[in-house]
Amino acid sequence: MADPSSQSNYISVAIRHLSLEWSLDFPIRTICGTAVYELEVKGNEVAEVILDTADLVIDSVHVDGSSVEFSLGAKHPVMGSALHIPILHPAIKGGSVKLAIKYETTTDCMALQWLDKEQTQGGKFPFLFSQCQPIYARSLVPIQDTPSVKFTYNARVTAVLPVLMSAILISPASTGPPHDGRKIGQDKVTYVFLQSVPIPSYLLAIASGNLRYRPLPVPKGKDWTSGVWAEEELADAAEWEFKEDTTKFLEAEEKITVPYRFGVYDLLVLPPSFPYGGMENACVTFVTPTLLTGDRTLVDVVVHEITHSWFGNGITHANACHFWLNEGWTTYIERLLQQILRTPAHRDFSFLIGSKMLYDDLKLYESRPAYQRLEIAFEHGENPDDAYSSVPYEKGANFLLHIERTLGGLDVFLPYIRNYVQTFMGKSITTQEWKDHLYAYYREHGTRDNVEALDSLDWDAWLHGEGLTLPVPIEYDMTLARQSNVLADRWDKARTSINLQELFDASDLQKLDANQVVVFLERLQSYAALPKSHINFLGSTYSFATTPNAEIRLRFYQVALLDPQSDAAREYAVDAAAWVVGRETTRGQSEEGRKGVVKGRMKFCRPIFRALYAVDAELALGTYRRHKLAFHPIARNLIEKVRTNGACTVVLIIDH
């Protein structure tokens, strides 16, 4: 079945290599240049190439060296405009076609966010970064914007600021002087990149800003390198945060799969408007600055992104209907590494933490149950971002855990995982192809009991089932959650107490790590809302109201805003609103002179705005409108729903 999110004719003719010649123009916020394509003809008598585009200005098109007339189809609100390019002589199967397109992006480009210097950490230079997943590469370059097509690419990018792409930086060298020793922000330098491993379009990525590089230690015998990039002002903090664990994670991953293929594994710490925790762009993972806590408590996010090098970047979902294959497998393997690097209890604890997000999102999609499924039957032109949630991650990972346990444990399932990677590395697959391979493997390498165990699974319930729970209850080792739950129970029982200082103090958290604190706060949300006095004491005694750890601060505000009608919710809504847009202050003091950080990561800003809207719609709307341009276009799309009434008055509705 063709990708429901693409208008391209990739089934008939497919891109195999892309060459980019780009120039970055920060003052007018555009990328202009040329894209040259080498395409493989897969059908017979192919008379045209159709590429996906969105809000691009096409200047000229050449086919096999000759200028041709092209046409742009009507703009679809989700899929953009199909670019139709005639082939002068109909191509036959096995043949090739070469295209050259001169074009430029526009300020409506969904893939790019151009930041003013004031929106960066250093405040000296502007910044640019991209986010092409799931279907926004078409606003960056004319492309077959489907994960079913993989291609290699090379690029030459000229800019007045250092540039990174999802490819190996050939020149200038990352270990050399910044910007090749030229004056940053003034002199133009051409950066040269090569991506020799075929990747899908959503992994095209670019970033440009006042960046600095720090190498990370690499285990002996490895043929890959690793490092971290960040704005100059954050480079040392970023190096400290990630140098201890990143390459250990990568080495451990290789032991359970196959060797890392991309040659370079770098991290780029982006400005705070980045809408995700991380994005697994090939060769350089983009990460949120909220990971820089100064205590390495959130670096496990990197495990997830590293795992995508095999599950997603290596084995790729054929289209958005099968997105869970990327995220479910990645989440499952990420947690398997928790068991290998730590203990089985840590693995189950990660599942427990994820279960809260899963059930919250299943509840949010109660009115759109199709998005509660693992395998979603998207309609042609439906926006896959509308279904973005923890469901493919958490429900998918739990399904794989259930399969592992049903088959008899890791000793039985781990050899299959390695075979799965070896079989499909470099390919794009569907859920059915994965299922067929799973059965084929155990028929050949397993026992009759293994096949019967697979037959016992309720496949339809897992893949197509809807509802607020998993098809089968999954039990987790609760060892690491026990202290968190006991402390939460104590707070619940003390809700009528007036002498809280006699019952609780900061030492309550001494034996809890950051994840256990998160579970404690999530457990509190399962009880009735605490009185305002208790929330005040909770926030001050444990420093939750001022902690720089965004994971903990989010959960604290969720506890405070639990009852939208309460005095506590009305008071803390003001604090939460200031926090999410980077205007937080010490309680009772002026914000003047205080530089905050916008919480652009959707994991934080979406639930905060939903909670604010429930407490004080005017506060939520006013805060968002004043600061909306600080958020990435993708985040803005998912925070806001614009509706028009009969009088054509636009009303902003904050919801899921």
Side-chain angles (χ1 to χ4, degrees):
M1 184 183 72
D3 188 328
S5 303
S6 174
Q7 300 182 84
S8 68
N9 63 337
Y10 69 92
I11 293 175
S12 299
V13 56
I15 299 169
R16 290 296 175 245
H17 185 78
L18 174 64
S19 296
L20 299 169
E21 187 84 25
W22 280 348
S23 179
L24 308 187
D25 193 323
F26 279 90
I28 63 173
R29 299 189 167 194
T30 62
I31 296 176
C32 63
T34 302
V36 177
Y37 310 75
E38 297 172 18
L39 299 101
E40 175 190 356
V41 180
K42 301 167 71 177
N44 286 312
E45 298 295 317
V46 178
E48 66 174 346
V49 175
I50 307 174
L51 301 179
D52 293 305
T53 77
D55 300 305
L56 298 175
V57 177
I58 309 297
D59 182 62
S60 63
V61 178
H62 286 74
V63 177
D64 294 328
S66 299
S67 178
V68 298
E69 295 292 327
F70 61 88
S71 64
L72 281 170
K75 183 179 178 180
H76 185 278
V78 173
M79 296 187 292
S81 304
L83 175 60
H84 294 262
I85 302 169
I87 299 175
L88 297 178
H89 304 287
I92 61 173
K93 188 174 183 178
S96 62
V97 177
K98 189 170 185 177
L99 303 180
I101 302 176
K102 186 178 180 181
Y103 77 101
E104 64 183 73
T105 63
T106 68
T107 54
D108 292 325
C109 176
M110 278 288 290
L112 299 177
Q113 186 173 26
W114 302 82
L115 301 176
D116 295 327
K117 63 182 182 181
E118 292 81 10
Q119 294 174 278
T120 67
Q121 184 68 28
K124 300 175 184 176
F125 300 98
F127 203 102
L128 163 69
F129 69 90
S130 66
Q131 174 59 37
C132 287
Q133 193 179 43
I135 57 169
Y136 305 119
R138 66 194 70 189
S139 66
L140 179 63
V141 60
I143 202 73
Q144 292 171 326
D145 203 2
T146 169
S148 286
V149 173
K150 293 187 176 184
F151 52 87
T152 55
Y153 82 89
N154 63 279
R156 293 171 53 87
V157 183
T158 301
V160 296
L161 293 170
V163 178
L164 285 178
M165 290 194 74
S166 53
I168 292 176
L169 176 60
I170 304 300
S171 68
S174 58
T175 54
H179 205 48
D180 207 23
R182 308 292 293 278
K183 189 168 184 179
I184 293 175
Q186 180 174 313
D187 295 337
K188 290 184 177 181
V189 172
T190 297
Y191 288 77
V192 181
F193 301 91
L194 175 64
Q195 180 52 267
S196 58
V197 178
I199 61 170
S201 58
Y202 73 81
L203 292 179
L204 275 175
I206 186 169
S208 182
N210 187 26
L211 299 174
R212 298 293 186 273
Y213 177 75
R214 299 286 189 271
L216 297 176
V218 176
K220 289 182 179 180
K222 298 301 179 182
D223 58 0
W224 40 263
T225 64
S226 186
V228 60
W229 297 82
E231 287 186 73
E232 181 181 18
E233 295 76 13
L234 283 179
D236 291 339
E239 178 187 14
W240 185 90
E241 201 80 28
F242 297 116
K243 71 179 180 180
E244 190 73 23
D245 300 303
T246 300
T247 56
K248 292 179 183 177
F249 293 155
L250 188 53
E251 183 181 35
E253 191 92 39
E254 288 185 310
K255 291 178 181 178
I256 62 173
T257 54
V258 298
Y260 180 71
R261 301 189 308 153
F262 290 93
V264 171
Y265 185 81
D266 286 347
L267 297 166
L268 168 61
V269 180
L270 285 175
S273 61
F274 182 54
Y276 299 101
M279 177 61 209
E280 65 274 14
N281 297 310
C283 296
V284 55
T285 286
F286 290 6
V287 296
T288 170
T290 59
L291 302 186
L292 303 183
T293 58
D295 57 9
R296 299 187 176 128
T297 55
L298 300 183
V299 296
D300 284 356
V301 169
V302 175
V303 182
H304 184 91
E305 306 310 327
I306 286 174
T307 303
H308 271 306
S309 301
W310 290 267
F311 304 90
N313 302 9
I315 306 171
T316 307
H317 63 303
N319 57 61
C321 302
H322 310 283
F323 181 61
W324 83 272
L325 287 174
N326 279 27
E327 298 300 349
W329 268 105
T330 295
T331 304
Y332 169 83
I333 295 293
E334 165 201 347
R335 290 171 183 168
L336 175 57
L337 283 175
Q338 292 287 345
Q339 175 169 328
I340 293 171
L341 295 172
R342 295 178 179 176
T343 69
H346 283 88
R347 183 193 191 196
D348 279 23
F349 191 55
S350 294
F351 273 102
L352 180 67
I353 293 172
S355 66
K356 172 66 165 57
M357 292 185 292
L358 171 62
Y359 293 124
D360 284 350
D361 282 346
L362 290 173
K363 179 67 175 176
L364 284 168
Y365 282 126
E366 196 167 16
S367 62
R368 304 187 74 176
Y371 292 166
Q372 296 171 332
R373 301 180 178 189
L374 277 184
E375 188 177 2
I376 300 173
F378 286 106
E379 298 290 337
H380 185 64
E382 189 175 357
N383 191 343
D385 250 349
D386 287 348
Y388 180 74
S389 74
S390 66
V391 173
Y393 299 72
E394 299 296 339
K395 193 172 185 178
N398 275 279
F399 183 28
L400 294 169
L401 177 65
H402 181 55
I403 292 174
E404 170 205 311
R405 292 176 173 179
T406 301
L407 284 167
L410 274 174
D411 290 343
V412 180
F413 198 51
L414 198 55
Y416 166 74
I417 295 172
R418 190 171 290 110
N419 185 269
Y420 172 61
V421 174
Q422 292 169 341
T423 300
F424 291 115
M425 182 63 73
K427 297 181 174 64
S428 301
I429 67 170
T430 65
T431 300
Q432 188 62 50
E433 287 174 296
W434 160 72
K435 181 182 176 184
D436 290 345
H437 175 262
L438 179 67
Y439 266 93
Y441 175 85
Y442 282 105
R443 287 190 180 108
E444 181 177 353
H445 302 287
T447 66
R448 179 178 295 180
D449 288 345
N450 295 147
V451 177
E452 290 178 353
L454 294 177
D455 287 339
S456 72
L457 298 171
D458 191 339
W459 290 91
D460 187 61
W462 276 103
L463 295 175
H464 310 119
E466 301 167 355
L468 302 181
T469 61
L470 293 172
V472 175
I474 306 294
E475 295 184 359
Y476 311 118
D477 183 334
M478 298 294 290
T479 302
L480 294 177
R482 193 165 293 119
Q483 287 178 280
S484 305
N485 292 343
V486 168
L487 182 59
D489 292 345
R490 285 176 54 203
W491 274 88
D492 178 54
K493 292 174 182 176
R495 64 178 52 251
T496 59
S497 300
I498 57 174
N499 296 317
L500 294 176
Q501 64 273 10
E502 297 178 3
L503 301 175
F504 305 102
D505 59 49
S507 65
D508 297 336
L509 304 186
Q510 282 183 352
K511 295 183 180 181
L512 302 184
D513 64 22
N515 285 330
Q516 289 172 305
V517 172
V518 165
V519 170
F520 159 63
L521 289 168
E522 290 183 342
R523 176 81 168 194
L524 281 182
Q525 295 173 51
S526 69
Y527 300 119
L530 290 172
K532 179 174 173 291
S533 57
H534 288 53
I535 292 174
N536 289 342
F537 193 77
L538 182 75
S540 60
T541 301
Y542 298 152
S543 299
F544 290 160
T546 56
T547 176
N549 187 313
E551 297 281 356
I552 293 174
R553 186 81 78 92
L554 168 68
R555 271 64 173 212
F556 171 68
Y557 286 137
Q558 288 175 321
V559 169
L561 305 181
L562 188 59
D563 178 3
Q565 307 302 317
S566 67
D567 291 340
R570 284 188 287 273
E571 178 176 318
Y572 279 94
V574 176
D575 291 358
W579 176 73
V580 79
V581 297
R583 292 293 183 269
E584 61 177 307
T585 65
T586 302
R587 288 176 65 83
Q589 295 183 358
S590 168
E591 71 173 45
E592 194 171 324
R594 178 90 176 258
K595 182 177 179 180
V597 176
V598 67
K599 306 307 178 294
R601 186 179 177 186
M602 292 191 292
K603 181 180 183 179
F604 304 137
C605 63
R606 290 175 72 191
I608 287 295
F609 275 117
R610 281 198 299 269
L612 289 178
Y613 191 76
V615 176
D616 185 338
E618 184 176 342
L619 173 66
L621 296 173
T623 301
Y624 177 70
R625 286 173 178 146
R626 288 192 299 274
H627 300 280
K628 67 178 293 183
L629 293 182
F631 294 94
H632 191 277
I634 294 173
R636 294 201 299 264
N637 250 16
L638 294 178
I639 291 171
E640 65 188 43
K641 300 292 182 185
V642 179
R643 298 175 182 173
T644 306
N645 65 16
C648 295
T649 301
V650 177
V651 181
L652 187 64
I653 304 296
I654 308 291
D655 64 11
H656 191 74

